[in-house]
C-alpha cells in the first residue's frame, strides 16, 4: 500500500468492510454498535500491515484524546473523544492514516461523529496539542442484518470529499462482488 495515498487506505478499508458484511455469524447475532466496530477493527488489521488498528481508542500518550475547536465567540472548546476505529502508529503524532466513526442504521445521531471526523482530518488544527491530521476519515452507517452500508462519507482535510466518497463506494462494491463470486 502506498502508505499515505487516500485511495490505497480506502481500498484496504473496503476489503475489511466487505469481510464484515459477509460474516454470517455476526449478521445473525445482530450486535450493537460497539461490537460491530470492534469486529470491523479486527478485520481491518490484516489489511494494514505495520500499522496499529485500535478500536475505541481514548489515549494520546499520557493524556486523554480530545478535539479542539473555536466556538462562535472565538473561545477554545475541548471535548474528550473515543473514535470507533483508528489506524495509526502509536507515539508518532504525525502518522495517522484512518479514523472511522460508525453507527447502526437505527441511530441517526451523527453530530458528534461529524465533528470528530472534521477536526481529526484537518491539515492544521486550532490548537497544536489536539492536532491529529488523519489522512482520511470515514463516517459509516451500517445495516448489518441487510448486509448494507447506508452511508460511507469520506472526510479529507476537514470536509466530506465527494470524489473519495464515490471512490470508496466503487471499491466496496468490487470487494463485495469478489466475495460473492467466489
Amino acid at each position: 500500500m502506498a502508505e499515505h495515498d487516500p485511495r490505497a487506505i480506502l481500498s484496504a478499508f473496503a476489503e475489511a468492510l466487505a469481510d464484515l458484511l459477509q460474516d454470517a455469524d455476526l449478521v445473525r447475532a445482530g450486535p450493537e454498535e460497539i461490537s460491530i466496530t470492534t469486529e470491523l477493527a479486527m478485520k481491518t488489521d490484516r489489511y494494514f500491515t505495520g500499522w496499529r488498528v485500535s478500536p475505541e481508542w481514548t489515549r494520546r500518550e499520557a493524556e486523554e484524546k480530545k478535539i479542539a475547536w473555536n466556538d462562535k465567540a472565538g473561545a477554545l472548546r475541548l471535548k474528550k473523544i473515543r473514535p470507533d476505529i483508528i489506524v495509526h502508529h502509536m507515539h508518532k503524532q504525525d502518522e495517522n492514516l484512518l479514523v472511522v466513526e460508525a453507527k447502526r442504521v437505527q441511530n441517526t445521531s451523527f453530530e458528534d461523529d461529524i465533528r470528530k471526523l472534521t477536526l481529526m482530518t484537518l491539515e492544521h488544527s486550532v490548537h497544536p496539542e489536539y492536532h491529529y491530521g488523519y489522512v482520511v476519515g470515514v463516517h459509516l452507517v451500517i445495516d448489518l442484518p441487510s448486509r448494507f452500508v447506508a452511508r460511507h462519507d469520506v472526510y479529507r482535510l476537514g470536509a466530506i470529499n465527494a470524489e473519495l466518497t464515490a471512490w470508496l463506494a466503487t471499491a466496496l462494491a468490487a470487494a463485495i462482488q469478489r466475495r460473492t463470486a467466489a
Side-chain angles (χ1 to χ4, degrees):
M1 166 185 1
E3 289 198 347
H4 292 87
D5 173 23
R7 284 180 175 80
I9 295 165
L10 294 170
S11 179
F13 183 65
E15 294 295 331
L17 189 51
D19 289 348
L20 179 88
L21 296 172
Q22 297 301 310
D23 187 331
D25 289 333
L26 188 64
V27 169
R28 189 173 61 234
E32 294 296 319
E33 176 188 315
I34 193 166
S35 299
I36 293 169
T37 57
T38 300
E39 288 286 331
L40 181 55
M42 290 188 301
K43 292 176 185 317
T44 300
D45 187 62
R46 70 181 272 217
Y47 296 102
F48 288 92
T49 304
W51 291 86
R52 180 170 299 256
V53 178
S54 302
E56 303 294 326
W57 197 251
T58 61
R59 307 306 292 177
R60 181 177 186 161
E61 302 298 330
E63 302 294 321
E64 288 185 279
K65 207 173 225 4
K66 296 177 186 174
I67 51 174
W69 70 96
N70 291 324
D71 66 15
K72 291 179 183 176
L76 183 66
R77 304 278 306 195
L78 299 174
K79 182 175 183 174
K80 293 178 189 176
I81 57 170
R82 182 176 50 199
D84 291 335
I85 302 169
I86 59 175
V87 179
H88 61 133
H89 281 148
M90 292 177 76
H91 313 295
K92 297 181 180 177
Q93 299 307 325
D94 60 343
E95 295 189 25
N96 295 318
L97 287 186
L98 172 67
V99 56
V100 177
E101 287 295 325
K103 295 280 189 246
R104 290 178 5 151
V105 73
Q106 298 90 337
N107 185 346
T108 58
S109 176
F110 301 151
E111 185 178 331
D112 284 344
D113 290 352
I114 291 169
R115 176 174 284 143
K116 274 189 261 185
L117 291 165
T118 299
L119 295 173
M120 294 181 81
T121 60
L122 287 172
E123 187 172 15
H124 302 285
S125 300
V126 299
H127 194 291
E129 288 183 37
Y130 307 106
H131 176 72
Y132 298 95
Y134 282 86
V135 176
V136 289
V138 177
H139 184 224
L140 290 176
V141 178
I142 301 173
D143 182 351
L144 194 58
S146 299
R147 299 177 190 232
F148 178 70
V149 177
R151 185 173 180 164
H152 47 72
D153 295 328
V154 176
Y155 285 73
R156 174 106 170 107
L157 303 174
I160 293 174
N161 183 301
E163 180 183 332
L164 290 175
T165 297
W167 196 91
L168 177 57
T170 301
L172 178 58
I176 290 169
Q177 179 63 36
R178 283 191 297 278
R179 283 156 182 79
T180 55

